[in-house]
Amino acid sequence: KMYRRFLFVVFLYYITDILWGFFESRKMVAPLFADTTVYYIAMAAGVLYWAGFTVAYSEEKNPFGQFIRAAFNVLAALILVLSVINIFTPILFTVSADCVYEALPLRYAVLGIQILLLLLISVYAFAWMSRQKAGSVKRQRFLILASFGLIMTVFLTMQLWFPYLPLYTVAYMLATSMLHSFVVNDEKEEYLQELAEAKQVTEIKETMTSLLDNMPALAFTKDAETGVYLACNQAFAEYAHKETPEGVVGLTDAEIFDAETARHFTEDDRTALSLSKPYVFFEDVPDAAGNQRQFQTTKLKYTDTSGRLCLLGMCEDMTDMVRIQHENAMTKEAYETAVSSG
C-alpha cells in the first residue's frame, strides 16, 4: 500500500515537472508559480511515503526505523508549510514578471536536509548488510534501499548546483525503475511460496479427509469451548443427516440434533473434558436410518497447533460384534447343557 502511494506521488511529480517546462517555455507566470508550488507539495508527499515504504519494506521497527519515519515526516511537513507560506511571502522560490524562476536559500536548505537523510539511510543499510550473510531476503531489500538512497543523493547533490536541469526527475526515474523490478520479483516469490504452502495445506486436508472417511467409525472433532464441529468424516455427516462433512462443520449439537440428544452429547463432552485419560463408554444409539445400534464411543481432549482446546470423538458400531459374542455364548451354554444332561 505504501509503495503504491509512493508511485502515485512520483507520477504526480512527473506531471508537475512536465507542465513546468510547458509553462516556462510560454512565459506563463501565474501557472508557472502555481505548478512550482504543487511541485514542492509533491516532493513533500514523496518524502513522506518513501519514509513509510522504507520502514515497511525493511521491516525495521527499531529506534532507527522510528527515527527515519519521524525525520521524514517533519521534513514533509516543513516543505508543505514553507510551500504555503511561499504563496504569500517568497521564501522558497520566486517567479519574476519575465517568468524567470529563482531558487531562494530555504529551497537549498530543504534539499540539503533531504540529501542528508537519504545518505543516512544508505549508510545504515550498507552497514546493516555488512553484518548479514549473503543471499538472505532482508539483505537484498537493504541493498535496494541503499542503492535507491545513493542514486537520489548523487542526483540531488547535482541539483543543488544546476537547479534548471531535471536531475531530480532523472533520479526518480532511475531509482523507482530499479526499485520496481525488485519489488515485483519479491511479490512473485511471495506468491509462489504462498501457492506452494496452499497446495501443501490442501494435500494435508485431503489426506486427513481420506483418513477420516476410511475409518470404521463415526469420527469428529469439535471446539471444546464453543462446541462447534471443526471436522468430521462422511459417516458422521450421514448420521447427522447432512450430505457432506462441510454441512456439519461450524454447527453445534443443538443445531444438528434434537434437544434430548444434544443434551446427552454435551454431558458426555463435559465428562470427557474433565478426565485426563480417554473417556470410553458404551451406549445404544439409533443410526441414520433410525435402527437401534450399540456403539463404543471414545472421547478425548487435545490441544491443536494454535493452542485451542479441542475434543476428538470416535463412535464404533459394535452391534454385530455384540450379537456374535451373544450367539457364541448361547451356543456354548447349550452345548454344556447338552453334555451335562447327556
Side-chain angles (χ1 to χ4, degrees):
K1 184 188 295 184
M2 198 63 67
Y3 176 63
R4 187 184 302 115
R5 290 175 181 174
F6 173 68
L7 289 184
F8 277 131
V9 170
V10 172
F11 183 63
L12 174 63
Y13 176 87
Y14 286 152
I15 293 174
T16 62
D17 205 30
I18 292 169
L19 290 175
W20 198 95
F22 177 80
F23 295 140
E24 198 274 339
S25 64
R26 284 161 177 73
K27 305 303 177 184
M28 302 169 69
V29 178
L32 183 66
F33 185 90
D35 183 70
T36 308
T37 302
V38 176
Y39 172 96
Y40 276 95
I41 293 173
M43 184 189 297
V47 166
L48 180 68
Y49 289 124
W50 169 248
F53 172 73
T54 298
V55 175
Y57 192 59
S58 64
E59 299 177 345
E60 286 292 281
K61 298 179 181 180
N62 55 17
F64 181 79
Q66 295 171 3
F67 167 75
I68 289 297
R69 286 293 295 269
F72 274 95
N73 287 352
V74 170
L75 178 60
L78 178 63
I79 295 173
L80 183 61
V81 170
L82 292 177
S83 299
V84 173
I85 295 174
N86 191 79
I87 298 173
F88 308 100
T89 305
I91 54 176
L92 277 178
F93 65 91
T94 60
V95 178
S96 67
D98 299 330
C99 204
V100 177
Y101 167 80
E102 181 184 356
L104 299 179
L106 265 180
R107 182 261 186 188
Y108 292 102
V110 166
L111 202 59
I113 295 172
Q114 190 173 347
I115 291 170
L116 288 175
L117 289 175
L118 287 168
L119 185 61
L120 181 62
I121 290 177
S122 297
V123 171
Y124 175 81
F126 280 124
W128 189 93
M129 286 167 51
S130 65
R131 300 191 302 268
Q132 304 300 316
K133 62 180 181 180
S136 66
V137 174
K138 196 166 183 179
R139 190 176 190 275
Q140 183 179 354
R141 290 188 175 189
F142 269 90
L143 176 60
I144 297 166
L145 295 176
S147 302
F148 184 99
L150 201 57
I151 292 172
M152 294 294 292
T153 298
V154 171
F155 278 85
L156 264 61
T157 303
M158 294 167 62
Q159 186 80 73
L160 289 172
W161 308 109
F162 305 100
Y164 265 82
L165 293 180
L167 297 172
Y168 203 115
T169 305
V170 173
Y172 257 155
M173 181 66 75
L174 291 174
T176 53
S177 296
M178 177 201 68
L179 182 65
H180 181 71
S181 64
F182 282 104
V183 169
V184 169
N185 284 335
D186 272 359
E187 290 291 328
K188 287 180 180 177
E189 289 178 5
E190 287 179 8
Y191 174 73
L192 290 175
Q193 184 177 354
E194 289 173 0
L195 199 64
E197 290 175 354
K199 183 179 179 182
Q200 186 177 10
V201 169
T202 302
E203 290 175 352
I204 292 173
K205 285 183 177 179
E206 290 175 350
T207 302
M208 291 300 296
T209 301
S210 177
L211 176 64
L212 287 173
D213 286 341
N214 285 283
M215 289 179 64
L218 308 180
F220 62 86
T221 181
K222 59 173 72 173
D223 188 311
E225 183 177 350
T226 63
V228 171
Y229 283 92
L230 303 174
C232 71
N233 62 359
Q234 184 62 34
F236 185 85
E238 292 173 359
Y239 172 71
H241 300 287
K242 303 293 182 183
E243 293 183 1
T244 63
E246 286 74 18
V248 176
V249 174
L251 301 179
T252 62
D253 288 321
E255 295 170 317
I256 299 175
F257 306 105
D258 61 80
E260 180 62 25
T261 303
R263 183 189 61 78
H264 172 65
F265 287 165
T266 303
E267 289 178 356
D268 291 339
D269 292 348
R270 194 178 297 115
T271 302
L273 291 170
S274 67
L275 301 175
S276 58
K277 294 181 179 181
Y279 177 40
V280 182
F281 57 95
F282 293 85
E283 57 184 341
D284 293 332
V285 179
D287 60 14
N291 301 315
Q292 201 71 10
R293 310 290 291 179
Q294 291 179 306
F295 279 85
Q296 175 184 312
T297 300
T298 303
K299 290 187 176 182
L300 59 97
K301 60 182 178 181
Y302 70 96
T303 304
D304 65 10
T305 54
S306 64
R308 174 175 53 184
L309 183 63
C310 301
L311 187 70
L312 174 66
M314 292 174 288
C315 305
E316 187 175 0
D317 190 345
M318 307 292 289
T319 305
D320 293 335
M321 183 182 294
V322 171
R323 179 180 57 79
I324 291 170
Q325 289 177 345
H326 180 68
E327 289 175 355
N328 287 343
M330 292 293 292
T331 302
K332 183 179 180 181
E333 183 180 355
Y335 172 76
E336 291 177 348
T337 302
V339 169
S340 61
S341 63

